[in-house]
Amino acid sequence: MPFEDASHSMPDVAVTGLQWRPATLEDLDIWAALIARTAAVEHPAWFEKRGDLIHVLESSKNPAETSTLLGVDGDGVARAYGRIMKNPTGDKATGMACVDPEWQQRGIGSAVLAWQEAQVRARFQSDEAAGNTTAPPRLRIQTEEQHEHQAALLMGHGYGAVRWFNEMHRPLSAELPHARLDGGLELRNLDASLFEAVRLAHNDAFRDHWGSEPRDQESWRFTIEEPTARHDLSAVVIDGGTGEVAGYQLASFDPDAAADRGFTEGYTELLGVRRAYRGRGIAQALLADAMRRYSEAGMDVASLDVDSANPTGALELYLGMGYTPVNRSMTWERVLPVT
């Protein structure tokens, strides 16, 4: 099957009771409503909003025609969706999906997963033909520990949990930490003049992080323009001698999540320190600065996620700064047989 043709892997209308098609701009409202409706029942720590879905449809590496799937009932209401993402040279694809709670336990989740797997196989075949990769097709999907129905679905289709992540909170009502930077290092506000330099610093800082791949300019634009991004709560550490970005903290605030979760949180989306600058207290200084910014903005907690096996010792760093684990998620993986 050519990768450009997704029709052969579409779920069966007769079995699922839904009409299936790739998502388009015209579907944004019903697509976002489906995700919000599901989140209202399942209460995930985070879920995609309309602005995130616009970025999905804008992706040049993952065209919506072959990378998104929307299931709509006879009244035009979106009841299920799935999508895949892959970098051309990457050795893995990642998947996201949801099924309307009123339509669960009908085999629709399995049908969406089968579509994702078929598209991942086709994508790997296409990338291999273009000389971009020789890796076997591999699909990764992340779930929260509380969502046992998702874990059961994935295990039933041969997936295994390969990595665990901790969501961590630090109450801002307690005394905030202070951290000084070494001489020659300067903490600055994030602004547009630093976006590209921070992208390059991120790619360097995350070279040794599990599952991370370099972010190109398009991917970085989506990061910087994420709907809940708060540049005023973000910061960059600059080497005064070279002008190089040594570290950075990118923050977000989601007012919708605050209403659902019952507290306000400043969230550190990305925290990184370039290899050459590690061991100089930069991460501590960025976290202390983030807590100050969050507190001054009237927020209740500082929060972030960390890979439980992070090679840089990030978990110990966060514990030392007063963060405590409150939720756990995991990444599931399956190397797909080639059919």
Side-chain angles (χ1 to χ4, degrees):
M1 180 191 73
F3 180 64
E4 291 76 14
D5 182 6
S7 61
H8 295 97
S9 61
M10 290 285 188
D12 191 314
V13 175
V15 172
T16 61
L18 298 173
Q19 297 289 332
W20 299 92
R21 62 173 187 258
T24 68
L25 285 171
E26 288 71 29
D27 294 316
L28 278 172
D29 289 337
I30 64 169
W31 188 5
L34 162 67
I35 297 173
R37 195 165 60 247
T38 304
V41 174
E42 299 187 346
H43 302 289
W46 174 88
F47 60 92
E48 295 169 302
K49 310 296 195 306
R50 194 178 192 277
D52 300 303
L53 302 179
I54 291 174
H55 287 167
V56 170
L57 297 176
E58 290 177 344
S59 174
S60 64
K61 295 188 295 294
N62 298 288
E65 294 80 4
T66 54
S67 301
T68 66
L69 178 73
L70 196 64
V72 180
D73 69 13
D75 295 321
V77 178
R79 297 298 185 178
Y81 103 93
R83 69 184 180 94
I84 62 166
M85 301 147 282
K86 183 185 182 297
N87 285 323
T89 59
D91 65 352
K92 64 183 177 300
T94 57
M96 296 187 70
C98 79
V99 178
D100 188 313
E102 293 184 1
W103 284 67
Q104 292 177 10
Q105 304 301 318
R106 303 187 189 189
I108 294 174
S110 293
V112 171
L113 182 59
W115 173 87
Q116 289 175 310
E117 292 181 347
Q119 292 306 98
V120 167
R121 290 189 186 95
R123 177 62 185 269
F124 269 84
Q125 291 169 2
S126 176
D127 288 345
E128 183 175 4
N132 291 324
T133 184
T134 59
R138 182 189 310 269
L139 178 58
R140 289 179 181 168
I141 296 173
Q142 191 161 9
T143 70
E144 293 184 24
E145 191 171 44
Q146 61 172 316
H147 296 144
E148 296 180 357
H149 63 296
Q150 297 174 359
L153 170 68
L154 292 170
M155 286 189 291
H157 288 270
Y159 288 75
V162 295
R163 205 78 167 191
W164 285 260
F165 299 83
N166 291 302
E167 179 190 0
M168 305 185 77
H169 288 179
R170 204 282 191 184
L172 296 173
S173 56
E175 182 179 356
L176 301 182
H178 298 278
R180 290 182 173 274
L181 287 169
D182 286 354
L185 296 175
E186 175 188 354
L187 191 143
R188 295 186 191 174
N189 295 331
L190 175 67
D191 62 50
S193 69
L194 292 169
F195 288 171
E196 176 62 9
V198 175
R199 179 182 76 87
L200 297 175
H202 170 78
N203 287 343
D204 178 46
F206 275 73
R207 279 187 294 156
D208 51 4
H209 285 232
W210 183 85
S212 180
E213 295 177 349
R215 301 198 187 191
D216 60 17
Q217 291 180 333
E218 179 183 83
S219 298
W220 193 249
R221 178 174 70 82
F222 294 161
T223 300
I224 292 296
E225 296 178 0
E226 204 277 331
T228 59
R230 287 287 298 268
H231 299 163
D232 60 317
L233 303 178
S234 306
V236 178
V237 171
I238 303 291
D239 183 331
T242 65
E244 184 174 59
V245 171
Y248 56 90
Q249 187 270 142
L250 302 187
S252 68
F253 170 68
D254 186 343
D256 295 332
D260 182 59
R261 305 186 84 183
F263 57 87
T264 56
E265 59 181 324
Y267 184 79
T268 293
E269 295 279 352
L270 289 173
L271 177 74
V273 177
R274 300 185 83 145
R275 291 184 180 194
Y277 292 93
R278 290 176 184 168
R280 298 178 62 179
I282 293 173
Q284 291 90 330
L286 285 165
L287 288 172
D289 174 75
M291 291 182 203
R292 177 186 61 79
R293 292 172 188 257
Y294 300 160
S295 179
E296 291 176 355
M299 297 181 190
D300 299 319
V301 301
S303 63
L304 47 76
D305 279 273
V306 61
D307 180 345
S308 60
N310 186 295
T312 65
L315 179 59
E316 290 75 16
L317 165 68
Y318 300 144
L319 290 170
M321 297 288 288
Y323 288 84
T324 56
V326 296
N327 188 29
R328 196 164 76 150
S329 62
M330 60 276 288
T331 296
W332 302 82
E333 178 181 282
R334 185 185 182 208
V335 176
L336 304 177
V338 178
T339 58

